[in-house]
Structures are given as structure tokens and as C-alpha cells.
Amino acid sequence: MSQPSFSDLYLKELTQQVIPFWEKYSIDEEYGGYYSCIDGNHKVYDTDKFVWLQARQVWTFATLYDRLEKKDLWLKIAQSGSDFLEKNGHDGNCNWFFSLQRNGQALVVPYNIFSHAFACMAMGKMYQITGEEKHKKVAIKSLNQILDRAEKPKSQWDKSYPGSRPLKNFALPMILCNLYNELGELVPEEEKLQRIHDCVSEILNNFWDEKRGVILENITPTGGFSDTFDGRLVNPGHGLEAMWFVMDLGLQFDRKDWINRAVEMALSIVEKGWDHEYKGIFYFLDAKGHPPQQLEWDQKLWWVHLEAMICFLKAYELTGSKSCWNWFEKIHHYTWEHFRDPQLGGEWFGYLNRGGKLSLNLKGGKWKGCFHVPRALLQLYQISKKLNI
């Protein structure tokens, strides 16, 4: 019996396993929005709602509706989440809380700029598929809040001592280059082009550590290396995710130099980040090989491997690199074997120990929701379909 094609494999997993899981178990029919804390037995174990995960799920279902199939159920689910967020998720001025109680009561203050970023992305997508002005207004206002906080992302909730060791974090330019791409015509073309070019330049030229062949999570304000715990921190998953963002933008703006550079960097990142003893990609590393401060540094996480799969399949599509194809196959097999649930199916597990054994028996929680698995499966399906593989 012949093996299914990659495109068939990914589409089936997306539409027959992962999305039905979130449709069945995550919808809060009473208050609106979604449950994200769902255990390995598919039971809700906590009803708090984390704003960035609510927004990511809105974006996911709106994107499926936009890019895969105009299913009324997907639009309804996206609208349920966006209505809940617009009513409860912010302070009235698009400062987005970090978390809410089930009924929408604010629980944690708007300290995390990524609540803003994913709310903006979600509302931008809702405007694209519905044309409703309310979504446009919230998306634009949220974007302005992000830009106002860009120099100090944690705002007044930053716990570092003023002026003691200022560092710039990689996550913001990485998220912003993708956010501007997602927002499309909501942002004036000239502004969008300038912002994207600035973000890509910062990623390729400032956060890239040529000497060590890795993306640094934190650099000095002038783009230098900080020989400290934070300055030496490397997150291979972040680097690989950013590289496929850059490849997408390179394709859009006909910048083959961006694409080629991103591919070259991705190959270095994965070589440094791969666990040659137990397989899989490390969560954190120290750029100089010192012991990382994160005790979970050697865990294997779902999103890291999914972003790596997108990165190398996209790189293969754009360049035909045999090395990228080999890495894609290697990471695909590890991911498919270790993160999928062979018993109950549905959403994937997220957290493994270094040896690849399940560390947490959950399908969703405070940091894991309806986003990375379906986004990756959709991307992988679309790329593999184009490649006819």
C-alpha cells in the first residue's frame, strides 16, 4: 500500500484531527471565547482565558475560513472569539490584558505586548473576511499601542532597574515583520514597506551573530553582544520561525538576497540547535556554550519543531536546496512520531523531555493554544501541494 503524499497527510491531520478537536472542546457556549487549558484526556482543567491565545484562535479560524474553505462554522467560531475579546479583552483603549476569568473579568494587567500583537493580527484578519469597520478600528488602534510601546515593550511593568543593562529583544521585530505582512492593506503601503524593511534589516544584521552562527534573543541598544545570561540566550525555534517570515517577505518584495540569507542562516541555526544525541531541537541554548539559566533548556517543544518544518520546506520550495530537504524530512519524522497523540488523536502534545518522552499530559494550557499546530499544517499542506509531494 502506497504512503499518502505529504499534502494529503497534512490536510487530513488538519481537517480531521486538529481542527475538530478545537471545535468540540474549546468553545465556551455560555460566555463566548475559548477554553485553552485542555488535558490529554480532552477535559477542560482550567477556565481562565489568556488574551493572546484567544486572539490566536480567532486568527486561526478566520484564516482557515479565508484560505482553505468558506465554512460557516469557522466564521461563527472566529466571531465568537472576536466578540468576546472586543468586549472584555482590553481596557477600552486597546491596552490588552494578559488574562481574563472565564466570564471576561480582567485578571492580569496589560503587561505583555504580545497580547496586543496577536489581538491586532486577529482583528485585522476579521476585518479582511467580514469588512466590518469595528474590527478595522480595533486593529489600527492596537497597532498604534504596539508602536507607542516599542521602545519599552513591558511599559511600567518592566521589572529591570532603569538604565542598568538596557537590551533590545528579538521577539518584537520578529513579530512585527509578520504582523505588517498579515495586516495587508490596513497599513498604508509606504509605511508598511518601511516598517518591514526596518524589521528585516534588524533581524539579518543586528540580531544575527555571525561569529557564532545563531540569532541572539537580546542585544545591546547599539546592536552589540552582551556577555550575560540574557545576552547569550539563543532560542532556535524563534530563529527558524523568523527565517520563514523573512523568506515570505523576500518572495513578496522580490528580494532573493533576503531569501538566500535566511536559508543560509536557518541551516546554521538548526545545526547548532539540533540534539545530536537524542534528536530534536533544543528549546534554549547559550551562545557561548555555558549552562543556560533556563532549567527547561533541553526540553523539546511542539512549536519549535513545527516552525522548523515550515522553514525548511519553504526553503526547499524557494531554492531547491538538498540540505533544506534533508532537514525537513528529519524534523518531519521526529515531529510526527513524538508530538501526535496515537491514542486519542486531535490536537498534539506540546512538551517532551530531552529523550523525547511526554513531559506534560496536556493539549493546551497557558502558553499553548489553537495556533502553531493548525497554522503549520495549513502552511505545510499548501507548500507540499504546490510542490506536488
Side-chain angles (χ1 to χ4, degrees):
M1 187 174 178
S2 63
Q3 292 291 320
S5 65
F6 280 113
S7 58
D8 288 344
L9 195 69
Y10 294 134
L11 182 63
K12 182 178 179 181
E13 187 73 10
L14 175 66
T15 59
Q16 297 183 29
Q17 291 292 337
V18 173
I19 291 304
F21 170 92
W22 294 105
E23 290 170 345
K24 183 174 182 179
Y25 299 110
S26 75
I27 311 303
D28 186 343
E29 300 286 359
E30 183 176 355
Y31 290 102
Y34 321 112
Y35 306 115
S36 65
C37 299
I38 305 172
D39 67 21
N41 296 314
H42 298 182
K43 304 294 183 184
V44 174
Y45 64 88
D46 197 285
T47 60
D48 285 350
K49 293 172 178 173
F50 304 94
V51 167
W52 71 319
L53 295 184
Q54 298 287 307
R56 283 176 159 193
Q57 187 156 344
V58 171
W59 179 88
T60 297
F61 276 94
T63 297
L64 289 170
Y65 178 85
D66 185 37
R67 298 181 189 171
L68 191 61
E69 184 180 346
K70 296 288 191 292
K71 289 183 68 170
D72 290 341
L73 176 61
W74 291 347
L75 179 58
K76 180 182 176 183
I77 290 172
Q79 287 176 323
S80 167
S82 64
D83 289 347
F84 177 81
L85 280 177
E86 288 173 334
K87 179 181 178 183
N88 304 294
H90 60 91
D91 64 357
N93 199 34
C94 290
N95 288 301
W96 295 87
F97 301 114
F98 178 74
S99 62
L100 314 168
Q101 296 182 54
R102 182 189 171 195
N103 63 4
Q105 175 64 45
L107 195 59
V108 176
V109 297
Y111 80 93
N112 192 312
I113 198 170
F114 301 110
S115 296
H116 296 55
F118 287 105
C120 180
M121 194 165 87
M123 298 310 164
K125 178 55 70 176
M126 288 301 296
Y127 174 68
Q128 289 171 13
I129 66 172
T130 68
E132 293 186 27
E133 283 295 315
K134 65 176 183 177
H135 300 312
K136 178 180 180 179
K137 289 178 181 177
V138 174
I140 292 173
K141 196 165 188 178
S142 300
L143 179 61
N144 289 332
Q145 290 286 14
I146 295 167
L147 298 178
D148 286 345
R149 283 177 58 168
E151 291 300 315
K152 194 177 180 183
K154 293 183 181 179
S155 191
Q156 67 264 40
W157 298 287
D158 192 336
K159 63 184 179 181
S160 62
Y161 192 81
S164 58
R165 186 185 287 157
L167 293 172
K168 292 170 64 175
N169 185 263
F170 174 66
L172 191 57
M174 167 194 161
I175 292 294
L176 280 177
C177 74
N178 185 57
L179 178 59
Y180 274 104
N181 197 31
E182 284 285 339
L183 291 176
E185 296 178 1
L186 271 175
V187 181
E189 188 67 18
E190 189 173 336
E191 178 188 351
K192 176 183 169 184
L193 285 171
Q194 186 61 55
R195 296 281 187 181
I196 285 175
H197 277 75
D198 289 347
C199 289
V200 171
S201 176
E202 195 158 29
I203 290 168
L204 298 183
N205 300 318
N206 295 343
F207 285 94
W208 175 246
D209 185 336
E210 186 73 38
K211 179 179 179 180
R212 299 168 183 88
V214 293
I215 289 278
L216 298 170
E217 285 292 294
N218 300 287
I219 57 175
T220 69
T222 57
F225 179 71
S226 173
D227 196 355
T228 60
F229 271 127
D230 290 334
R232 296 190 302 268
L233 182 62
V234 175
N235 182 328
H238 262 171
L240 294 171
E241 184 177 6
M243 290 307 98
W244 75 256
F245 290 170
V246 172
M247 289 179 216
D248 269 357
L249 295 169
L251 186 63
Q252 182 178 334
F253 296 115
D254 195 26
R255 292 293 302 265
K256 291 182 181 179
D257 56 324
W258 287 1
I259 294 171
N260 292 335
R261 183 91 185 281
V263 171
E264 179 185 343
M265 289 163 62
L267 288 168
S268 177
I269 291 167
V270 75
E271 183 62 39
K272 299 288 194 306
W274 185 257
D275 184 344
H276 292 276
E277 184 175 356
Y278 292 98
K279 299 183 182 179
I281 302 169
F282 289 118
Y283 188 17
F284 292 113
L285 295 170
D286 184 284
K288 294 180 73 172
H290 299 312
Q293 64 175 325
Q294 288 77 13
L295 301 181
E296 69 275 23
W297 71 274
D298 62 350
Q299 285 187 353
K300 310 294 167 62
L301 269 64
W302 84 108
W303 70 266
V304 171
H305 293 77
L306 287 160
E307 300 305 327
M309 287 168 67
I310 299 172
C311 179
F312 288 110
L313 188 59
K314 194 177 292 284
Y316 174 72
E317 175 198 8
L318 295 176
T319 69
S321 164
K322 182 64 175 174
S323 295
C324 290
W325 175 259
N326 290 341
W327 273 113
F328 162 70
E329 280 198 305
K330 182 187 291 192
I331 298 166
H332 162 84
H333 290 304
Y334 179 89
T335 305
W336 206 257
E337 178 183 346
H338 288 86
F339 290 102
R340 293 174 69 248
D341 181 351
Q343 272 76 48
L344 293 182
E347 173 66 17
W348 294 9
F349 294 115
Y351 302 90
L352 311 175
N353 64 21
R354 183 177 180 186
K357 301 297 183 183
L358 191 64
S359 178
L360 288 172
N361 185 34
L362 59 79
K363 300 293 183 73
K366 182 178 181 179
W367 307 108
K368 183 179 189 296
C370 179
F371 182 66
H372 281 287
V373 177
R375 181 177 74 166
L377 290 171
L378 178 62
Q379 283 266 350
L380 293 165
Y381 160 66
Q382 291 176 326
I383 298 169
S384 54
K385 186 178 181 183
K386 280 191 284 185
L387 292 169
N388 196 29
I389 57 173

PDB file of all heavy atoms in Angstrom, residues 19-20 22-24 27 29 34 61-62 64-65 69-80:
ATOM      1  N   ILE A  19      -8.387  20.459  13.932  1.00  0.00           N
ATOM      2  CA  ILE A  19      -9.464  21.453  13.987  1.00  0.00           C
ATOM      3  C   ILE A  19     -10.731  20.892  14.632  1.00  0.00           C
ATOM      4  O   ILE A  19     -11.356  21.576  15.463  1.00  0.00           O
ATOM      5  CB  ILE A  19      -9.740  22.026  12.584  1.00  0.00           C
ATOM      6  CG1 ILE A  19      -8.557  22.893  12.149  1.00  0.00           C
ATOM      7  CG2 ILE A  19     -11.027  22.850  12.567  1.00  0.00           C
ATOM      8  CD1 ILE A  19      -8.202  24.023  13.103  1.00  0.00           C
ATOM      9  N   PRO A  20     -11.144  19.645  14.341  1.00  0.00           N
ATOM     10  CA  PRO A  20     -12.298  19.100  15.064  1.00  0.00           C
ATOM     11  C   PRO A  20     -12.104  19.078  16.580  1.00  0.00           C
ATOM     12  O   PRO A  20     -13.072  19.218  17.332  1.00  0.00           O
ATOM     13  CB  PRO A  20     -12.425  17.686  14.492  1.00  0.00           C
ATOM     14  CG  PRO A  20     -11.884  17.794  13.109  1.00  0.00           C
ATOM     15  CD  PRO A  20     -10.733  18.751  13.232  1.00  0.00           C
ATOM     16  N   TRP A  22     -10.492  21.359  18.441  1.00  0.00           N
ATOM     17  CA  TRP A  22     -10.782  22.696  18.968  1.00  0.00           C
ATOM     18  C   TRP A  22     -12.251  23.061  18.793  1.00  0.00           C
ATOM     19  O   TRP A  22     -12.835  23.744  19.646  1.00  0.00           O
ATOM     20  CB  TRP A  22      -9.873  23.723  18.296  1.00  0.00           C
ATOM     21  CG  TRP A  22      -8.432  23.510  18.663  1.00  0.00           C
ATOM     22  CD1 TRP A  22      -7.445  22.979  17.892  1.00  0.00           C
ATOM     23  CD2 TRP A  22      -7.815  23.792  19.934  1.00  0.00           C
ATOM     24  NE1 TRP A  22      -6.257  22.913  18.577  1.00  0.00           N
ATOM     25  CE2 TRP A  22      -6.450  23.405  19.843  1.00  0.00           C
ATOM     26  CE3 TRP A  22      -8.276  24.337  21.132  1.00  0.00           C
ATOM     27  CZ2 TRP A  22      -5.562  23.553  20.904  1.00  0.00           C
ATOM     28  CZ3 TRP A  22      -7.388  24.478  22.191  1.00  0.00           C
ATOM     29  CH2 TRP A  22      -6.055  24.100  22.076  1.00  0.00           C
ATOM     30  N   GLU A  23     -12.879  22.582  17.732  1.00  0.00           N
ATOM     31  CA  GLU A  23     -14.308  22.822  17.544  1.00  0.00           C
ATOM     32  C   GLU A  23     -15.128  22.166  18.656  1.00  0.00           C
ATOM     33  O   GLU A  23     -16.108  22.733  19.145  1.00  0.00           O
ATOM     34  CB  GLU A  23     -14.760  22.248  16.187  1.00  0.00           C
ATOM     35  CG  GLU A  23     -14.235  22.994  14.977  1.00  0.00           C
ATOM     36  CD  GLU A  23     -14.516  22.253  13.678  1.00  0.00           C
ATOM     37  OE1 GLU A  23     -14.853  21.039  13.717  1.00  0.00           O
ATOM     38  OE2 GLU A  23     -14.387  22.876  12.615  1.00  0.00           O
ATOM     39  N   LYS A  24     -14.719  20.974  19.062  1.00  0.00           N
ATOM     40  CA  LYS A  24     -15.500  20.190  20.032  1.00  0.00           C
ATOM     41  C   LYS A  24     -15.245  20.590  21.473  1.00  0.00           C
ATOM     42  O   LYS A  24     -16.185  20.638  22.278  1.00  0.00           O
ATOM     43  CB  LYS A  24     -15.179  18.704  19.845  1.00  0.00           C
ATOM     44  CG  LYS A  24     -15.999  17.783  20.750  1.00  0.00           C
ATOM     45  CD  LYS A  24     -15.750  16.316  20.413  1.00  0.00           C
ATOM     46  CE  LYS A  24     -16.606  15.406  21.290  1.00  0.00           C
ATOM     47  NZ  LYS A  24     -16.383  13.971  20.963  1.00  0.00           N
ATOM     48  N   ILE A  27     -14.848  25.550  22.733  1.00  0.00           N
ATOM     49  CA  ILE A  27     -15.816  26.642  22.592  1.00  0.00           C
ATOM     50  C   ILE A  27     -16.609  26.828  23.891  1.00  0.00           C
ATOM     51  O   ILE A  27     -17.245  25.894  24.389  1.00  0.00           O
ATOM     52  CB  ILE A  27     -16.790  26.373  21.432  1.00  0.00           C
ATOM     53  CG1 ILE A  27     -16.030  25.968  20.159  1.00  0.00           C
ATOM     54  CG2 ILE A  27     -17.662  27.606  21.196  1.00  0.00           C
ATOM     55  CD1 ILE A  27     -15.006  26.957  19.696  1.00  0.00           C
ATOM     56  N   GLU A  29     -19.736  28.068  25.138  1.00  0.00           N
ATOM     57  CA  GLU A  29     -21.044  28.442  24.597  1.00  0.00           C
ATOM     58  C   GLU A  29     -21.766  29.453  25.491  1.00  0.00           C
ATOM     59  O   GLU A  29     -22.639  30.189  25.028  1.00  0.00           O
ATOM     60  CB  GLU A  29     -21.924  27.191  24.434  1.00  0.00           C
ATOM     61  CG  GLU A  29     -21.360  26.135  23.498  1.00  0.00           C
ATOM     62  CD  GLU A  29     -21.459  26.528  22.031  1.00  0.00           C
ATOM     63  OE1 GLU A  29     -21.993  27.618  21.742  1.00  0.00           O
ATOM     64  OE2 GLU A  29     -20.983  25.740  21.180  1.00  0.00           O
ATOM     65  N   TYR A  34     -12.891  31.081  24.208  1.00  0.00           N
ATOM     66  CA  TYR A  34     -12.438  29.693  24.138  1.00  0.00           C
ATOM     67  C   TYR A  34     -11.731  29.253  25.419  1.00  0.00           C
ATOM     68  O   TYR A  34     -11.077  30.042  26.085  1.00  0.00           O
ATOM     69  CB  TYR A  34     -11.432  29.528  22.984  1.00  0.00           C
ATOM     70  CG  TYR A  34     -11.759  30.301  21.741  1.00  0.00           C
ATOM     71  CD1 TYR A  34     -10.950  31.372  21.341  1.00  0.00           C
ATOM     72  CD2 TYR A  34     -12.867  29.986  20.951  1.00  0.00           C
ATOM     73  CE1 TYR A  34     -11.227  32.088  20.186  1.00  0.00           C
ATOM     74  CE2 TYR A  34     -13.150  30.710  19.801  1.00  0.00           C
ATOM     75  CZ  TYR A  34     -12.334  31.756  19.421  1.00  0.00           C
ATOM     76  OH  TYR A  34     -12.619  32.470  18.283  1.00  0.00           O
ATOM     77  N   PHE A  61      -9.102  30.442  13.048  1.00  0.00           N
ATOM     78  CA  PHE A  61     -10.360  30.085  12.386  1.00  0.00           C
ATOM     79  C   PHE A  61     -10.707  31.074  11.275  1.00  0.00           C
ATOM     80  O   PHE A  61     -11.249  30.680  10.231  1.00  0.00           O
ATOM     81  CB  PHE A  61     -11.486  29.963  13.417  1.00  0.00           C
ATOM     82  CG  PHE A  61     -11.508  28.613  14.076  1.00  0.00           C
ATOM     83  CD1 PHE A  61     -10.848  28.405  15.270  1.00  0.00           C
ATOM     84  CD2 PHE A  61     -12.160  27.542  13.488  1.00  0.00           C
ATOM     85  CE1 PHE A  61     -10.841  27.149  15.871  1.00  0.00           C
ATOM     86  CE2 PHE A  61     -12.168  26.282  14.077  1.00  0.00           C
ATOM     87  CZ  PHE A  61     -11.507  26.085  15.274  1.00  0.00           C
ATOM     88  N   ALA A  62     -10.382  32.350  11.468  1.00  0.00           N
ATOM     89  CA  ALA A  62     -10.612  33.324  10.397  1.00  0.00           C
ATOM     90  C   ALA A  62      -9.729  33.019   9.191  1.00  0.00           C
ATOM     91  O   ALA A  62     -10.154  33.168   8.038  1.00  0.00           O
ATOM     92  CB  ALA A  62     -10.338  34.736  10.922  1.00  0.00           C
ATOM     93  N   LEU A  64      -8.466  29.994   8.355  1.00  0.00           N
ATOM     94  CA  LEU A  64      -8.984  28.790   7.706  1.00  0.00           C
ATOM     95  C   LEU A  64     -10.162  29.138   6.801  1.00  0.00           C
ATOM     96  O   LEU A  64     -10.271  28.634   5.675  1.00  0.00           O
ATOM     97  CB  LEU A  64      -9.416  27.761   8.758  1.00  0.00           C
ATOM     98  CG  LEU A  64      -8.286  27.087   9.545  1.00  0.00           C
ATOM     99  CD1 LEU A  64      -8.867  26.287  10.707  1.00  0.00           C
ATOM    100  CD2 LEU A  64      -7.456  26.186   8.649  1.00  0.00           C
ATOM    101  N   TYR A  65     -11.029  30.011   7.301  1.00  0.00           N
ATOM    102  CA  TYR A  65     -12.175  30.462   6.507  1.00  0.00           C
ATOM    103  C   TYR A  65     -11.711  31.205   5.253  1.00  0.00           C
ATOM    104  O   TYR A  65     -12.263  31.042   4.168  1.00  0.00           O
ATOM    105  CB  TYR A  65     -13.055  31.365   7.371  1.00  0.00           C
ATOM    106  CG  TYR A  65     -14.256  31.938   6.660  1.00  0.00           C
ATOM    107  CD1 TYR A  65     -15.443  31.210   6.562  1.00  0.00           C
ATOM    108  CD2 TYR A  65     -14.212  33.218   6.092  1.00  0.00           C
ATOM    109  CE1 TYR A  65     -16.549  31.744   5.910  1.00  0.00           C
ATOM    110  CE2 TYR A  65     -15.302  33.748   5.442  1.00  0.00           C
ATOM    111  CZ  TYR A  65     -16.470  33.008   5.346  1.00  0.00           C
ATOM    112  OH  TYR A  65     -17.566  33.530   4.702  1.00  0.00           O
ATOM    113  N   GLU A  69     -11.384  27.091   3.278  1.00  0.00           N
ATOM    114  CA  GLU A  69     -12.776  26.819   2.891  1.00  0.00           C
ATOM    115  C   GLU A  69     -13.700  27.791   3.608  1.00  0.00           C
ATOM    116  O   GLU A  69     -13.541  28.058   4.803  1.00  0.00           O
ATOM    117  CB  GLU A  69     -13.158  25.377   3.260  1.00  0.00           C
ATOM    118  CG  GLU A  69     -14.537  24.966   2.819  1.00  0.00           C
ATOM    119  CD  GLU A  69     -14.894  23.531   3.210  1.00  0.00           C
ATOM    120  OE1 GLU A  69     -13.978  22.775   3.596  1.00  0.00           O
ATOM    121  OE2 GLU A  69     -16.090  23.183   3.148  1.00  0.00           O
ATOM    122  N   LYS A  70     -14.692  28.310   2.907  1.00  0.00           N
ATOM    123  CA  LYS A  70     -15.644  29.258   3.488  1.00  0.00           C
ATOM    124  C   LYS A  70     -16.716  28.499   4.277  1.00  0.00           C
ATOM    125  O   LYS A  70     -17.890  28.467   3.898  1.00  0.00           O
ATOM    126  CB  LYS A  70     -16.287  30.099   2.388  1.00  0.00           C
ATOM    127  CG  LYS A  70     -15.313  30.990   1.624  1.00  0.00           C
ATOM    128  CD  LYS A  70     -14.854  32.157   2.484  1.00  0.00           C
ATOM    129  CE  LYS A  70     -14.096  33.207   1.689  1.00  0.00           C
ATOM    130  NZ  LYS A  70     -12.795  32.771   1.184  1.00  0.00           N
ATOM    131  N   LYS A  71     -16.297  27.912   5.387  1.00  0.00           N
ATOM    132  CA  LYS A  71     -17.225  27.160   6.227  1.00  0.00           C
ATOM    133  C   LYS A  71     -17.893  28.099   7.230  1.00  0.00           C
ATOM    134  O   LYS A  71     -17.217  28.824   7.961  1.00  0.00           O
ATOM    135  CB  LYS A  71     -16.492  26.053   6.979  1.00  0.00           C
ATOM    136  CG  LYS A  71     -16.039  24.900   6.101  1.00  0.00           C
ATOM    137  CD  LYS A  71     -15.383  23.790   6.908  1.00  0.00           C
ATOM    138  CE  LYS A  71     -16.379  23.087   7.799  1.00  0.00           C
ATOM    139  NZ  LYS A  71     -15.789  21.859   8.405  1.00  0.00           N
ATOM    140  N   ASP A  72     -19.216  28.064   7.281  1.00  0.00           N
ATOM    141  CA  ASP A  72     -19.944  28.935   8.198  1.00  0.00           C
ATOM    142  C   ASP A  72     -19.542  28.702   9.647  1.00  0.00           C
ATOM    143  O   ASP A  72     -19.476  29.647  10.441  1.00  0.00           O
ATOM    144  CB  ASP A  72     -21.455  28.716   8.046  1.00  0.00           C
ATOM    145  CG  ASP A  72     -21.995  29.237   6.721  1.00  0.00           C
ATOM    146  OD1 ASP A  72     -21.299  30.076   6.095  1.00  0.00           O
ATOM    147  OD2 ASP A  72     -23.088  28.806   6.312  1.00  0.00           O
ATOM    148  N   LEU A  73     -19.261  27.450  10.012  1.00  0.00           N
ATOM    149  CA  LEU A  73     -18.877  27.139  11.386  1.00  0.00           C
ATOM    150  C   LEU A  73     -17.578  27.835  11.757  1.00  0.00           C
ATOM    151  O   LEU A  73     -17.447  28.370  12.864  1.00  0.00           O
ATOM    152  CB  LEU A  73     -18.725  25.623  11.564  1.00  0.00           C
ATOM    153  CG  LEU A  73     -18.235  25.160  12.944  1.00  0.00           C
ATOM    154  CD1 LEU A  73     -19.200  25.588  14.047  1.00  0.00           C
ATOM    155  CD2 LEU A  73     -18.025  23.650  12.971  1.00  0.00           C
ATOM    156  N   TRP A  74     -16.618  27.859  10.850  1.00  0.00           N
ATOM    157  CA  TRP A  74     -15.336  28.505  11.148  1.00  0.00           C
ATOM    158  C   TRP A  74     -15.518  30.007  11.338  1.00  0.00           C
ATOM    159  O   TRP A  74     -14.909  30.598  12.232  1.00  0.00           O
ATOM    160  CB  TRP A  74     -14.323  28.218  10.030  1.00  0.00           C
ATOM    161  CG  TRP A  74     -13.895  26.776  10.013  1.00  0.00           C
ATOM    162  CD1 TRP A  74     -14.115  25.837  10.988  1.00  0.00           C
ATOM    163  CD2 TRP A  74     -13.163  26.107   8.986  1.00  0.00           C
ATOM    164  NE1 TRP A  74     -13.571  24.626  10.627  1.00  0.00           N
ATOM    165  CE2 TRP A  74     -12.976  24.765   9.402  1.00  0.00           C
ATOM    166  CE3 TRP A  74     -12.645  26.500   7.756  1.00  0.00           C
ATOM    167  CZ2 TRP A  74     -12.296  23.828   8.629  1.00  0.00           C
ATOM    168  CZ3 TRP A  74     -11.969  25.571   6.973  1.00  0.00           C
ATOM    169  CH2 TRP A  74     -11.794  24.252   7.406  1.00  0.00           C
ATOM    170  N   LEU A  75     -16.366  30.620  10.521  1.00  0.00           N
ATOM    171  CA  LEU A  75     -16.643  32.046  10.683  1.00  0.00           C
ATOM    172  C   LEU A  75     -17.349  32.312  12.009  1.00  0.00           C
ATOM    173  O   LEU A  75     -17.009  33.264  12.728  1.00  0.00           O
ATOM    174  CB  LEU A  75     -17.507  32.540   9.520  1.00  0.00           C
ATOM    175  CG  LEU A  75     -17.907  34.012   9.555  1.00  0.00           C
ATOM    176  CD1 LEU A  75     -16.679  34.911   9.587  1.00  0.00           C
ATOM    177  CD2 LEU A  75     -18.801  34.357   8.364  1.00  0.00           C
ATOM    178  N   LYS A  76     -18.284  31.460  12.366  1.00  0.00           N
ATOM    179  CA  LYS A  76     -19.011  31.615  13.630  1.00  0.00           C
ATOM    180  C   LYS A  76     -18.069  31.509  14.822  1.00  0.00           C
ATOM    181  O   LYS A  76     -18.168  32.289  15.783  1.00  0.00           O
ATOM    182  CB  LYS A  76     -20.103  30.541  13.721  1.00  0.00           C
ATOM    183  CG  LYS A  76     -20.933  30.606  15.000  1.00  0.00           C
ATOM    184  CD  LYS A  76     -21.958  29.489  15.046  1.00  0.00           C
ATOM    185  CE  LYS A  76     -22.729  29.506  16.379  1.00  0.00           C
ATOM    186  NZ  LYS A  76     -23.689  28.370  16.458  1.00  0.00           N
ATOM    187  N   ILE A  77     -17.156  30.548  14.777  1.00  0.00           N
ATOM    188  CA  ILE A  77     -16.201  30.365  15.880  1.00  0.00           C
ATOM    189  C   ILE A  77     -15.279  31.579  15.983  1.00  0.00           C
ATOM    190  O   ILE A  77     -15.000  32.070  17.088  1.00  0.00           O
ATOM    191  CB  ILE A  77     -15.397  29.061  15.680  1.00  0.00           C
ATOM    192  CG1 ILE A  77     -16.309  27.856  15.895  1.00  0.00           C
ATOM    193  CG2 ILE A  77     -14.208  29.002  16.637  1.00  0.00           C
ATOM    194  CD1 ILE A  77     -15.671  26.517  15.536  1.00  0.00           C
ATOM    195  N   ALA A  78     -14.808  32.068  14.854  1.00  0.00           N
ATOM    196  CA  ALA A  78     -13.948  33.260  14.862  1.00  0.00           C
ATOM    197  C   ALA A  78     -14.697  34.465  15.409  1.00  0.00           C
ATOM    198  O   ALA A  78     -14.156  35.241  16.213  1.00  0.00           O
ATOM    199  CB  ALA A  78     -13.437  33.546  13.454  1.00  0.00           C
ATOM    200  N   GLN A  79     -15.947  34.630  15.030  1.00  0.00           N
ATOM    201  CA  GLN A  79     -16.740  35.769  15.503  1.00  0.00           C
ATOM    202  C   GLN A  79     -17.024  35.679  16.995  1.00  0.00           C
ATOM    203  O   GLN A  79     -17.018  36.700  17.692  1.00  0.00           O
ATOM    204  CB  GLN A  79     -18.055  35.857  14.717  1.00  0.00           C
ATOM    205  CG  GLN A  79     -17.862  36.351  13.296  1.00  0.00           C
ATOM    206  CD  GLN A  79     -19.141  36.352  12.483  1.00  0.00           C
ATOM    207  OE1 GLN A  79     -19.987  35.462  12.613  1.00  0.00           O
ATOM    208  NE2 GLN A  79     -19.289  37.352  11.624  1.00  0.00           N
ATOM    209  N   SER A  80     -17.232  34.468  17.488  1.00  0.00           N
ATOM    210  CA  SER A  80     -17.457  34.290  18.925  1.00  0.00           C
ATOM    211  C   SER A  80     -16.262  34.787  19.719  1.00  0.00           C
ATOM    212  O   SER A  80     -16.404  35.496  20.730  1.00  0.00           O
ATOM    213  CB  SER A  80     -17.707  32.803  19.240  1.00  0.00           C
ATOM    214  OG  SER A  80     -17.639  32.559  20.635  1.00  0.00           O
TER     215      SER A  80
END
